Amino acid sequence: MTANRQSRSAPNDRELRLWKVGRALTLAFAAAVLVSAGVFLSLVVLLDFQEIDKTAKLDAKTLFDLVKLSFGVVAGAGALVALVVAYRRQRVDEAGAHREATRLHTERFSQAVDKLGSDSPAVRLGGVHALAGLADDAPDDSLRQTCIDVLCAYLRLPFPPDPGNPPDDTAAEEQREAHQDKKDRYRALREVRHTILRLIGDHYRTPKGTHHSWQGCNLDLTGVAIDGQMSFTGASFSGGDVSFTGASFSGGDVSFTDAAFSGGNVSFTDAAFSGGNVSFTDAAFSGGNVHFDGATFSDGYVVSFVGATFSGSYVSFVEARFTGGDVRFTGATFSGGDLHFDNATFSGGDVHFTGATFSGGNVHFDHAIFCGSYVRVILAIFSGGNVSFTHAAFSGGDVRFDHAIFEGSMVPFTGAVFSGGNVHFDATSGPAPAGLLEAVGTPAPAEVRLRPDWLPANP
């Protein structure tokens, strides 16, 4: 992040590095002479002059032309000097205006940060909106990023926990009032945090290049507890780093519906999804990196990739743990890029790939463990690319490939282990996936249902 800021602020540092007047004029005159000579020679070549007519006499017309030429040269030189001086004055004025804007921004920034540190939640709310406004009006990207960093840092600060239910009627009046005060303060401070989450989403989904857009800026929400609404609907992630690493999604809805991931990095590494909903419905993954490595999906949560398109991004669920909740890739299209579930554990909840189309790219379930989840790959179409279950372990739960179509994809089950649970390939189309029959063994276990024509003929 530091390097990023330095690169952004470099143009502002250079704008005051003006050459001395003598040097600037000398170079300007030299450039003018070279340009004039180039134009003259080009005209000579284009008009195909063979030689210059010479005469020993200087008549009145030629003398008058020389006088006009002399005045023209002097006037041109004066105009060039005026142009150089005006340019330098303009640069100095712009630099002064930028310094003044930066000074005013710094003053407003200090006031906003003071409000954010107030004991009063209402004053803190004012500081939040002031910082968001400062980010919109920042003279350069570096100052805008600083405002965003402060808002993100506020979310990462410890905050008072929910005091829970009020004491019963037998408690003293002072105790009940004290509990109510704690409850009111908790709700007020939570409102401040929810306001920041809402403002970040509002600004990040504003189209890049407009006044209020924060697209391309870094968001560091590492370890943040997200228990409110946050919308990135239609946002474009084409640069910058957005980190939800270690974040806790315990309530509310977070939407990336129709978002476009074409660059940059978005990380949900080690995040915990335990309540509410996260939607990537109809999102387009065409570039960049999206990581869910080590994330935990537990009861009460829905993560939706319904209708999403994976055509170029690197999306990783390596070592993710699916212990509950509902993760849906229903109707998703995998036509490029890489999607990794390597070493993921499916021990509970539902994971749906129903109606998904695998026509390109790579999807890996290598070394994944299926020991309790309800995994549906029903009606999926495997027409291209590579979908690998190499060395996956099926020891429990329910995995169904019913009515799937295996036409052109490589779907290897090489080294897979079937020791429990149910794995069904009923009513599928196409040849048996590579390595499946060898992995299942002969005779096939009762919990593994294969198409009869895939089984070897009895001797």
Side-chain angles (χ1 to χ4, degrees), residues 182-198:
K182 291 181 180 179
K183 190 74 172 181
D184 292 342
R185 181 166 180 79
Y186 164 76
R187 289 172 176 170
L189 293 178
R190 186 179 64 174
E191 180 62 28
V192 176
R193 296 174 57 257
H194 287 181
T195 299
I196 296 177
L197 293 175
R198 178 178 57 79

Side-chain angles (χ1 to χ4, degrees), residues 326-397:
D326 196 347
V327 181
R328 303 170 185 171
F329 291 87
T330 306
T333 301
F334 303 87
S335 58
D338 292 277
L339 179 62
H340 288 264
F341 290 89
D342 304 280
N343 295 299
T345 301
F346 299 85
S347 60
D350 299 334
V351 182
H352 295 269
F353 288 88
T354 302
T357 301
F358 300 86
S359 58
N362 300 291
V363 182
H364 294 271
F365 291 88
D366 300 337
H367 298 279
I369 300 173
F370 298 86
C371 58
S373 293
Y374 191 80
V375 182
R376 291 291 176 268
V377 199
I378 298 172
L379 296 172
I381 300 174
F382 298 87
S383 60
N386 179 34
V387 184
S388 174
F389 291 87
T390 301
H391 297 291
F394 299 85
S395 60

Side-chain angles (χ1 to χ4, degrees), residues 294-307:
T296 301
F297 302 87
S298 55
D299 291 337
Y301 219 90
V302 176
V303 180
S304 174
F305 291 87
V306 174

Side-chain angles (χ1 to χ4, degrees), residues 156-228:
R156 297 195 302 270
L157 292 175
F159 60 93
D162 187 349
N165 296 325
D168 55 35
D169 295 337
T170 60
E173 182 68 22
E174 293 80 3
Q175 185 178 356
R176 290 198 299 270
E177 290 180 356
H179 179 274
Q180 187 61 45
D181 290 341
K182 291 181 180 179
K183 190 74 172 181
D184 292 342
R185 181 166 180 79
Y186 164 76
R187 289 172 176 170
L189 293 178
R190 186 179 64 174
E191 180 62 28
V192 176
R193 296 174 57 257
H194 287 181
T195 299
I196 296 177
L197 293 175
R198 178 178 57 79
L199 287 174
I200 289 176
D202 290 346
H203 285 79
Y204 219 88
R205 68 174 184 265
T206 302
K208 192 172 184 178
T210 58
H211 178 61
H212 295 286
S213 177
W214 293 356
Q215 288 186 16
C217 296
N218 299 326
L219 297 178
D220 186 2
L221 300 173
T222 302
V224 170
I226 299 177
D227 55 357

Side-chain angles (χ1 to χ4, degrees), residues 301-321:
Y301 219 90
V302 176
V303 180
S304 174
F305 291 87
V306 174
T309 302
F310 298 84
S311 59
S313 294
Y314 180 92
V315 183
S316 175
F317 289 84
V318 172
E319 296 185 350
R321 296 176 295 278

